[in-house]
Amino acid sequence: MPDRGGYIIRTAAEGVEADEIREDIRYLGRLWAKVGKRITKSGTIKAVYSEVSHYMRTIRDLITPRVEKIRIDNKQSYDEITQFLEDYIPDLKTDVELYLGDRPIFDMYGIEDEIKKALSRKVKLKSGGDLIIDQTEAMTTIDVNTGGYLGSRNHSETILKTNLEAAKAIARQLRVRNLGGIVIVDFIDMIDPEHRHQVQRTFNKVLEKDHACSATTDLSPLGLIEMTRKRTRESLGQTLNDPCTVCAGRGDQKSAERVATKYFEKYYM
Ligand SMILES: [Zn+2]
């Protein structure tokens, strides 16, 4: 601080770039100056600062120089956001655009579909295989499967291709779903040591860009890789879904036989 005071840096800041922290400090400085002005100006009792709305929080927390464009479908929010960016992040080059089309904006840009995909258990891969992603309290497991069809020739090549594609898809899913904590990936078994090596290398490489990722183990003899990913906020699933009230998230229910047996016991025995 130039004169007095200081900053509390929370554990959520672990591993972030120094530039991000510097940007936060600049932002807080400008905010503090604004609040100070409001305090001196306000003769009566009134709020000089309060936590902002959801969309403003999104702008504040998620905007980075890498965001190219923001489209907003509401004039009032648009004004508020442009004003905010002017006041606090004046150097930002991001293009902010007001969308006034008739088609709902989420529909227009396929957002609903993307959300649906990002929440579904299965992720299809181009090579025909898929990922099955399960999130439990203890960990997230990601199972890589080949598609139903496995060419009779070049069996091991197909497996390698699927695993390589899966490695890249998994890196994306971890970020999109904001999965944190322990993650275990079960790649399809590979016999060729060179193939195993290649998958391991590709996976490490795609994860390098993800600052939240750390501590990846080597591919185990069973084809597993263990890793941890920093928890920041709730996962997408936890944000957008509630646990099922019927099965409490277990994903199953009493079998018909069990219900029937119980019924017969009660009334006929
Ligand atoms: Zn259920």
Side-chain angles (χ1 to χ4, degrees), residues 1-246:
M1 288 286 273
D3 42 6
R4 63 205 164 94
Y7 299 93
I8 295 171
I9 298 183
R10 315 201 53 164
T11 40
E14 192 186 345
V16 305
E17 304 279 325
D19 267 353
E20 274 180 73
I21 299 204
R22 256 180 236 123
E23 189 43 58
D24 255 14
I25 288 175
R26 276 197 286 272
Y27 163 75
L28 288 170
R30 286 190 284 265
L31 178 64
W32 182 243
K34 281 239 157 173
V35 171
K37 245 184 240 160
R38 270 183 232 149
I39 293 171
T40 40
K41 261 200 268 174
S42 69
T44 55
I45 296 172
K46 79 180 199 207
V48 288
Y49 178 75
S50 60
E51 184 54 300
V52 288
S53 56
H54 195 267
Y55 58 87
M56 291 304 288
R57 262 205 318 269
T58 309
I59 295 287
R60 186 194 62 193
D61 295 346
L62 298 181
I63 198 141
T64 69
R66 280 182 303 175
V67 176
E68 284 168 21
K69 194 176 257 192
I70 304 168
R71 288 196 183 92
I72 303 149
D73 70 346
N74 175 293
K75 178 77 170 86
Q76 199 194 326
S77 322
Y78 169 81
D79 290 341
E80 217 180 308
I81 287 169
T82 42
Q83 187 62 53
F84 170 85
L85 293 176
E86 257 176 58
D87 288 350
Y88 297 110
I89 323 178
D91 310 329
L92 194 80
K93 300 280 182 292
T94 304
D95 190 7
V96 186
E97 196 181 281
L98 180 61
Y99 170 82
L100 290 172
D102 285 334
R103 240 174 107 185
I105 194 164
F106 269 30
D107 192 35
M108 183 78 181
Y109 295 102
I111 305 294
E112 292 291 359
D113 281 346
E114 286 300 321
I115 291 174
K116 213 171 134 194
K117 268 196 239 163
L119 290 174
S120 86
R121 203 173 154 240
K122 196 175 195 169
V123 178
K124 283 201 184 314
L125 301 174
K126 270 191 227 106
S127 57
D130 55 51
L131 309 175
I132 303 287
I133 302 176
D134 283 311
Q135 203 186 351
T136 66
E137 301 239 344
M139 66 184 76
T140 300
T141 58
I142 303 179
D143 189 19
V144 184
N145 300 300
T146 48
Y149 171 76
L150 258 184
S152 50
R153 285 183 309 146
N154 294 328
H155 191 91
S156 67
E157 287 295 326
T158 311
I159 287 175
L160 174 66
K161 209 178 128 201
T162 309
N163 277 340
L164 288 175
E165 192 193 345
K168 288 175 200 155
I170 289 165
R172 177 164 189 271
Q173 290 300 324
L174 291 174
R175 276 183 288 120
V176 170
R177 296 177 187 231
N178 195 26
L179 298 169
I182 300 170
V183 180
I184 296 193
V185 182
D186 186 3
F187 284 102
I188 310 162
D189 287 345
M190 291 166 287
I191 298 148
D192 190 335
E194 179 44 41
H195 286 183
R196 295 168 57 89
H197 201 66
Q198 212 176 321
V199 169
Q200 174 89 56
R201 229 171 21 222
T202 304
F203 196 46
N204 286 343
K205 196 160 175 220
V206 286
L207 292 181
E208 252 170 37
K209 286 178 240 154
D210 186 349
H211 294 299
C213 261
S214 59
T216 315
T217 64
D218 286 342
L219 201 64
S220 80
L222 292 173
L224 302 180
I225 287 184
E226 274 173 47
M227 56 186 282
T228 56
R229 197 165 177 279
K230 196 172 48 160
R231 274 184 208 281
T232 50
R233 292 183 286 270
E234 291 183 305
S235 74
L236 187 70
Q238 286 163 336
T239 309
L240 299 179
N241 285 342
D242 282 332
C244 172
T245 51
V246 177

